[in-house]
């Protein structure tokens, strides 16, 4: 149902008839269930932390050092007073909205045909799903370049926030690069890190599986190693210095044509500490739904809106983002 009206024209009623016979005239009808296999959210959305925002600029503090500590003569001990600096960080709250209108004539006609409640419920649900879909996509591919001083109305995508980066060349091992980066994070003397998941572009995931299929040691690294991520979803896992990490295909992960080889694509992969990825929301963590008053155009209008913004805390040490160069495989449109 929508507010658009097509151009009027006359038709031959007989043309709409499927069958005519003694005591029977069969005309077109349609299944009440609409074929719908559309994607509506991202995996990350169901696993990251949701916390109330502290204000229009949601602020948190980060500590990056523990000062002091020295070896001394036990018979002549002395100490120097120290303090530990804590740095404030902020992120601007964003908004995502969507709207659907139902024309008065369409509403009445749909009610008369006894199919309006189902269609209205689906359209309202799809309006909310449109917000969730944009939210899930921009968690990874949001175009803003600053958390506190926005340059666009979109989120600052998680990959843009992460400053600990790595690359996997066309001939490089995906598994080796991931394990090496995790090992480097765990080896930090300054931070006690525990990465919890690896999010990867599905096509890069395919190449990772192919790499392991052809490798001699795949039984010890990935093959038969699995981990449950969300209820009902079990994925492959890789053994790392941080233990067994799930490898989660994420369709919203960025990808771009390689700068030097046009036939190749750089597919994104993120090693993340999910407890340090937060979504700061205003009001409620879900989506608001409002019904607007009917005005002179006699339309029922519904508006959905979501307030919040994601932040990857510890972008230089708690997470890592990389690109995997491989031959391009075109995703299904």
């Amino acid at each position: 149902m929508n507010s658009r009206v097509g151009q009027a024209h006359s038709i031959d009623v007989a043309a709409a008839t499927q069958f005519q016979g003694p005591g029977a005239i069969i005309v077109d009808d349609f299944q009440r269930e609409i074929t719908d296999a559309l994607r509506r959210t991202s995996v990350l959305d169901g696993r990251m932390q949701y916390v109330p925002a502290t204000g229009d600029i949601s602020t948190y503090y980060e500590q990056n050092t523990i000062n002091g500590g020295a070896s001394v003569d036990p018979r002549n001990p002395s100490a120097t007073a120290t303090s530990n600096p804590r740095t404030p960080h902020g992120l601007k709250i964003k908004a995502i909205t969507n709207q659907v209108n139902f024309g008065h004539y369409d509403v009445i006609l749909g009610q008369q045909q006894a199919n309006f409640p189902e269609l209205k419920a689906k359209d309202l649900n799809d309006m909310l799903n449109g917000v969730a879909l944009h939210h899930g996509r921009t968690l990874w591919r949001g175009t803003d370049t600053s958390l506190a001083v926005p340059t666009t109305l979109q989120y600052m995508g998680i990959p843009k926030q992460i400053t600990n980066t790595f690359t996997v060349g066309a001939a490089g091992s995906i598994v080796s690069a991931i394990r090496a980066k995790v090992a480097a994070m765990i080896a930090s003397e300054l931070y006690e890190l525990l990465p919890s998941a690896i999010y990867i572009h599905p096509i890069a995931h395919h190449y990772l599986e192919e790499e392991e299929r052809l490798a001699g040691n795949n039984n010890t690294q990935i093959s038969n190693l699995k981990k449950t991520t969300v209820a009902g979803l079990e994925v492959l896992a890789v053994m790392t210095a941080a233990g067994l990490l799930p490898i989660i295909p994420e369709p919203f992960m960025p990808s771009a044509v390689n700068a030097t080889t046009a036939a190749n694509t750089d597919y994104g992969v993120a090693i993340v500490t999910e407890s340090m990825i937060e979504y700061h929301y205003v009001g409620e963590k879900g989506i608001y739904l409002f019904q607007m008053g009917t005005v002179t155009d006699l339309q029922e209008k519904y508006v959905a809106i979501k307030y919040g913004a994601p932040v990857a805390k510890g972008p230089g040490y708690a997470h890592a983002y990389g690109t995997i160069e491989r031959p391009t495989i075109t995703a299904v449109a």
Side-chain angles (χ1 to χ4, degrees):
M1 302 290 293
N2 56 54
S3 59
R4 293 173 294 181
V5 179
Q7 183 175 356
H9 59 278
S10 300
I11 64 169
D12 181 359
V13 175
T17 304
Q18 290 184 343
F19 172 79
Q20 292 188 55
I25 297 178
I26 308 300
V27 296
D28 282 329
D29 200 351
F30 62 91
Q31 291 180 319
R32 294 296 185 264
E33 181 64 30
I34 296 174
T35 301
D36 183 351
L38 296 172
R39 191 178 302 282
R40 284 169 162 78
T41 188
S42 71
V43 181
L44 177 63
D45 183 54
R47 289 171 60 89
M48 67 181 178
Q49 307 294 312
Y50 273 75
V51 299
T54 62
D56 183 48
I57 303 292
S58 190
T59 305
Y60 65 94
Y61 283 81
E62 181 181 21
Q63 182 171 327
N64 296 107
T65 59
I66 297 179
N67 293 321
S71 299
V72 298
D73 182 348
R75 290 186 172 83
N76 186 28
S78 62
T80 301
T82 61
S83 63
N84 298 305
R86 297 173 177 102
T87 306
H89 297 278
L91 62 150
K92 176 70 172 67
I93 300 302
K94 302 295 185 70
I96 298 174
T97 189
N98 201 2
Q99 180 172 333
V100 64
N101 296 344
F102 300 99
H104 181 259
Y105 174 76
D106 292 333
V107 170
I108 299 302
L109 183 59
Q111 290 172 345
Q112 187 166 305
Q113 292 182 324
N115 60 24
F116 180 70
E118 294 87 352
L119 291 176
K120 180 178 181 181
K122 177 165 177 52
D123 283 344
L124 287 174
N125 189 51
D126 284 348
M127 180 187 64
L128 297 175
N129 287 329
V131 172
L133 182 65
H134 186 75
H135 162 73
R137 182 186 299 115
T138 53
L139 284 176
W140 291 106
R141 303 207 305 264
T143 57
D144 206 346
T145 56
S146 173
L147 283 174
V149 185
T151 57
T152 75
L153 295 176
Q154 292 189 8
Y155 300 152
M156 184 178 183
I158 299 297
K160 283 186 170 65
Q161 297 182 36
I162 297 172
T163 57
N164 180 21
T165 60
F166 65 102
T167 59
V168 183
S173 167
I174 301 172
V175 172
S176 177
I178 290 173
R179 285 163 49 84
K181 177 56 72 172
V182 173
M185 295 166 70
I186 296 299
S188 172
E189 292 186 7
L190 181 59
Y191 300 105
E192 186 176 0
L193 304 175
L194 192 61
S196 59
I198 299 162
Y199 289 82
I200 189 171
H201 193 286
I203 294 174
H205 187 274
H206 158 73
Y207 282 114
L208 182 149
E209 288 183 307
E210 282 296 288
E211 175 185 315
E212 286 302 291
R213 182 177 67 85
L214 300 173
N217 68 337
N218 63 350
N219 287 330
T220 64
Q221 305 305 326
I222 287 183
S223 182
N224 298 321
L225 298 178
K226 296 182 179 180
K227 198 164 186 179
T228 300
T229 54
V230 295
L233 178 61
E234 188 176 62
V235 299
L236 293 177
V238 60
M239 185 59 68
T240 70
L244 198 61
L245 297 185
I247 306 170
I248 304 172
E250 174 57 85
F252 297 125
M253 188 66 66
S255 63
V257 176
N258 183 263
T260 57
T261 307
N264 289 355
T265 294
D266 294 331
Y267 296 105
V269 57
I271 303 166
V272 299
T273 305
E274 290 165 311
S275 62
M276 295 183 69
I277 295 181
E278 295 179 347
Y279 187 85
H280 291 214
Y281 65 89
V282 170
E284 63 177 47
K285 60 186 293 186
I287 304 169
Y288 284 103
L289 174 62
F290 298 99
Q291 179 177 2
M292 314 304 287
T294 302
V295 291
T296 54
D297 57 8
L298 299 181
Q299 291 185 338
E300 288 185 19
K301 300 181 180 182
Y302 294 84
V303 175
I305 192 163
K306 180 182 182 72
Y307 302 112
V311 58
K313 292 184 173 181
Y317 54 87
H319 321 279
Y321 180 75
T323 56
I324 300 168
E325 181 187 350
R326 288 295 185 271
T328 300
I329 296 178
T330 303
V332 174

